[in-house]
Amino acid sequence: MSLPAPTVDARAVVTGASSGIGEALAAELAARGHSLIVVARRGDLLNALADRLTREHGVAVEVRVSDLSDPGQRQTLANELADRDVSILCNNAGIATFGPVAKLDPGYERAQVQLNAVAVHDLTLAVLPGMIARGAGGILITGSAAGNMAIPNNATYAATKAFVNTFSESLRAELAGTGVHCTLLAPGPVRTETPDPADASIVDKLVPDFLWIDSAYTARLSLDGLEKNKMRIVPGILSKGMSVAGQYSPRFITAPIVGSFYRKLGGD
């Protein structure tokens, strides 16, 4: 069974929609005729995105300014989504930190777990009963190739992505025969455009240009994969290499190698 066709009442939900993959997913869904609920912390960026997508594609776009790392704000959104006709949920919001966990801000590390893992779980559980009752729906979860291996100096991020990678692929098997699709997106580095050298981050400087994946391409590939109910979408050379290394190489070998690279991302 394919994904639900766009309707006046149904909404595709995209978290982390203010930039990057989330913004690209929202744009691609709007281009395919889906009305949207876009979620992020930056209301100014969300409102600008909503205006643009409505103008270009004629779809309704609802804005929800929400910090999904905050349990109260997250519950408010989950309660709403449980009562809405959500045809597609793109669990995309996430943050990352670099450096030894002992030297990082504990509050921000806890917020990272809440956003990257707990929010994915909560929002998925909110929309699942309605999707199953309607016999149709799609859940796209943005995991990461980083979730396939131990990564010193990126420990919290890698651990949260290990959770969502496994959760997504396990859930897909549970949903067999229900008409509800579930696909994991496990990308490597993604960006919308090549930054000016003066504005380039340390990640931009350390990762060669040919290894970056375009966010619009990633969005198209992901939604096409969700339509086909593929288990995992892994765009890009680096993400494919990390996936293979994570699955087939001993961690006592890969962890120090990968960790030395991520230590540079932490500024050491």
Side-chain angles (χ1 to χ4, degrees):
M1 180 178 289
S2 61
L3 293 175
T7 67
V8 174
D9 295 327
R11 293 292 182 270
V13 179
V14 182
T15 68
S18 59
S19 63
I21 295 175
E23 181 181 1
L25 284 168
E28 182 64 23
L29 284 163
R32 299 182 185 201
H34 292 276
S35 289
L36 297 160
I37 298 174
V38 292
V39 184
R41 292 178 296 175
R42 291 285 305 274
D44 54 341
L45 297 179
L46 285 182
N47 284 316
L49 174 65
D51 290 344
R52 175 169 64 85
L53 296 183
T54 297
R55 183 175 64 253
E56 292 178 357
H57 304 292
V59 297
V61 183
E62 301 177 39
V63 169
R64 297 292 181 271
V65 179
S66 180
D67 180 356
L68 296 179
S69 70
D70 180 275
Q73 295 185 46
R74 185 170 68 243
Q75 189 60 54
T76 297
L77 179 65
N79 290 344
E80 178 188 358
L81 297 186
D83 292 331
R84 299 290 298 270
D85 180 353
V86 176
S87 55
I88 297 171
L89 170 65
C90 296
N91 266 317
N92 171 75
I95 54 176
T97 51
F98 305 101
V101 167
K103 295 183 179 180
L104 299 174
D105 174 41
Y108 197 77
E109 293 301 287
R110 285 191 289 271
Q112 188 175 178
V113 174
Q114 289 287 322
L115 179 62
N116 292 6
V118 182
V120 169
H121 197 252
D122 284 353
L123 298 186
T124 299
L125 294 183
V127 304
L128 262 182
M131 288 183 174
I132 292 173
R134 292 186 293 272
I139 299 172
L140 178 70
I141 297 178
T142 302
S144 175
N148 298 325
M149 58 178 61
I151 304 184
N153 302 300
N154 191 223
T156 301
Y157 179 80
T160 59
K161 292 305 182 179
F163 169 80
V164 298
N165 286 5
T166 303
F167 176 64
S168 175
E169 294 181 342
S170 301
L171 179 61
R172 177 180 178 275
E174 293 181 3
L175 293 172
T178 65
V180 180
H181 296 190
C182 185
T183 294
L184 171 69
L185 167 61
V190 176
R191 63 187 180 192
T192 303
E193 58 187 15
T194 303
D196 184 281
D199 299 324
S201 68
I202 189 168
V203 180
D204 289 308
K205 294 174 181 176
L206 289 174
V207 178
D209 285 343
F210 75 92
L211 291 177
W212 287 91
I213 314 161
D214 178 67
S215 58
Y217 166 77
T218 301
R220 288 193 300 272
L221 193 69
S222 302
L223 293 173
D224 288 346
L226 182 63
E227 176 77 29
K228 298 173 183 175
N229 201 22
K230 289 189 174 182
M231 177 179 283
R232 179 184 287 223
I233 301 296
V234 186
I237 298 172
L238 183 57
S239 54
K240 286 181 170 64
M242 290 178 68
S243 293
V244 171
Q247 293 177 40
Y248 299 108
S249 301
R251 293 194 173 193
F252 76 88
I253 294 175
T254 60
I257 297 171
V258 177
S260 64
F261 173 78
Y262 278 81
R263 184 168 58 248
K264 296 177 183 177
L265 297 181
D268 293 337

